[in-house]
């Protein structure tokens, strides 16, 4: 006879990986992409995201406008916007601040209005399917994980980073077994479906812009699948009332 604990564990696992669960479809999509797209973990930004040059040329204005919002103490918590991110928060119980500007093609107009220079950029580049302001608190650790969707490149643009000397910084990424330290204004393009983790080892918050850029090197059938994925993600955000949940907090905490 099965013990109650064992039966409960099996039932929980079945519910977690059933076809109605996000994780089930995430793993199927990951399997399809990994068998069709073969690339290194990190790629040259200008080759795959030429519009990043515009971000660098307008960096001072973007940085000024973004930091005014990001360092206000009013950014919502990532795990409160997306429940699927809760395990990343529970790893060390330090709140990861996140301000979505666009999520898989779904715009957040109120948030974009706070940063006019980025709103202008996003309006001209729909291939940037996601954009967000990320704030890592001091000593925050993001446990190793993989992104769900290989149909995009992930672009980092650090805006507020502590230089720790000897080439190290508070924007520390471990991607596919290799450590990278990013400095302010240094654009960085990579594939977040590789196993990765992140840490802010400093005593100050770290602010980075995160963009997801639609990949143009996909075979035709994957392009169709990618657009279907984006359409479903947009519908899900609408049904979850994400725009309301992603607003700045009323007062600084």
């Amino acid at each position: 006879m099965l013990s109650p604990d064992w039966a409960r564990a099996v039932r929980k696992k079945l519910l977690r990986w059933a076809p109605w669960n996000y994780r089930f479809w995430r793993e199927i999509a990951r399997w399809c992409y990994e068998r069709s797209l073969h690339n290194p973990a990190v790629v040259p930004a200008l080759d795959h995201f030429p519009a990043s040059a515009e971000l660098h040329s307008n960096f001072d204005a973007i940085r000024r406008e973004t930091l005014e919002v990001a360092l206000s103490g009013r950014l919502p918590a990532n795990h409160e916007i997306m429940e699927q991110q809760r395990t990343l928060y529970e790893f060390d119980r330090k709140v990861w601040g996140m301000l979505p500007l666009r999520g898989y093609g779904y715009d957040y107009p109120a948030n974009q209005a706070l940063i006019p220079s980025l709103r202008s950029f996003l309006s001209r580049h729909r291939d940037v399917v996601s954009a967000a302001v990320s704030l890592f608190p001091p000593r925050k650790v993001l446990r190793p994980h993989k992104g769900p969707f290989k149909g995009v490149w992930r672009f980092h643009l650090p805006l507020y980073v502590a230089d720790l000397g000897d080439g190290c910084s508070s924007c520390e990424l471990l991607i596919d077994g290799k450590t990278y330290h990013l400095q302010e204004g240094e654009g960085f393009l990579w594939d977040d479906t590789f196993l990765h983790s992140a840490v802010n080892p400093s005593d100050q918050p770290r602010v980075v812009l995160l963009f997801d850029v639609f990949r143009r090197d996909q075979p035709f059938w994957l392009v169709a699948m990618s657009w279907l994925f984006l359409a479903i993600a947009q519908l899900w955000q609408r049904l979850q009332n994400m725009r309301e949940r992603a607003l700045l907090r009323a007062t600084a905490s």
Side-chain angles (χ1 to χ4, degrees):
M1 183 175 177
L2 300 178
S3 70
D5 289 343
W6 191 89
R8 190 160 43 247
V10 170
R11 185 164 57 249
K12 183 177 180 181
K13 199 169 189 67
L14 288 174
L15 288 172
R16 184 174 182 179
W17 293 102
W20 55 80
N21 192 288
Y22 158 81
R23 292 180 177 88
F24 177 86
W25 296 107
R26 179 191 66 187
E27 293 306 312
I28 289 179
R30 181 177 288 155
W31 184 88
C32 293
Y33 282 103
E34 288 181 349
R35 274 145 186 78
S36 300
L37 294 174
H38 306 283
N39 54 266
V42 178
V43 296
L46 289 178
D47 290 352
H48 298 276
F49 182 32
S52 63
E54 295 182 32
L55 296 171
H56 290 294
S57 65
N58 200 28
F59 180 77
D60 289 343
I62 291 173
R63 183 179 188 273
R64 183 180 64 255
E65 294 174 1
T66 304
L67 292 187
E68 184 176 347
V69 176
L71 299 178
S72 68
R74 300 174 58 200
L75 260 60
N78 189 34
H79 68 276
E80 293 175 352
I81 300 172
M82 293 185 63
E83 180 64 26
Q84 291 81 0
Q85 303 291 328
R86 179 165 290 278
T87 57
L88 299 181
Y89 158 69
E90 291 174 344
F91 183 74
D92 64 359
R93 311 296 292 185
K94 292 183 181 293
V95 174
W96 179 9
M98 187 72 69
L99 186 72
L101 305 175
R102 176 178 291 164
Y104 287 134
Y106 182 77
D107 282 320
Y108 290 75
N111 291 348
Q112 289 186 17
L114 299 170
I115 312 173
S117 55
L118 284 179
R119 178 179 58 186
S120 174
F121 176 82
L122 292 173
S123 70
R124 291 181 281 107
H125 296 286
R126 296 302 305 185
D127 60 327
V128 178
V129 296
S130 294
V133 179
S134 166
L135 185 146
F136 254 36
R139 307 296 173 179
K140 171 70 179 175
V141 176
L142 192 63
R143 65 173 177 79
H145 65 287
K146 294 182 179 181
F149 183 39
K150 201 177 179 74
V152 296
W153 298 112
R154 171 63 54 86
F155 182 75
H156 278 222
L157 184 61
L159 303 180
Y160 189 68
V161 171
D163 185 345
L164 304 180
D166 296 325
C168 298
S169 77
S170 62
C171 190
E172 180 180 326
L173 302 176
L174 177 64
I175 305 171
D176 197 31
K178 184 176 180 179
T179 301
Y180 300 85
H181 290 271
L182 308 187
Q183 302 292 342
E184 288 185 8
E186 178 185 353
F188 185 76
L189 193 69
W190 58 294
D191 178 351
D192 82 334
T193 63
F194 284 83
L195 186 67
H196 63 279
S197 60
V199 62
N200 174 5
S202 76
D203 294 320
Q204 72 173 43
R206 183 192 85 190
V207 180
V208 176
L209 288 177
L210 304 179
F211 291 161
D212 286 334
V213 185
F214 194 83
R215 289 183 63 160
R216 299 299 180 183
D217 59 342
Q218 304 177 65
F220 177 78
W221 72 275
L222 268 186
V223 170
M225 182 175 169
S226 295
W227 284 117
L228 176 61
F229 182 96
L230 293 174
I232 293 172
Q234 290 175 41
L235 177 61
W236 180 81
Q237 290 172 91
R238 187 180 299 275
L239 293 175
Q240 292 290 314
N241 196 26
M242 298 284 278
R243 285 177 178 156
E244 292 298 319
R245 293 159 61 183
L247 293 173
L248 290 181
R249 293 169 177 166
T251 58
S253 58

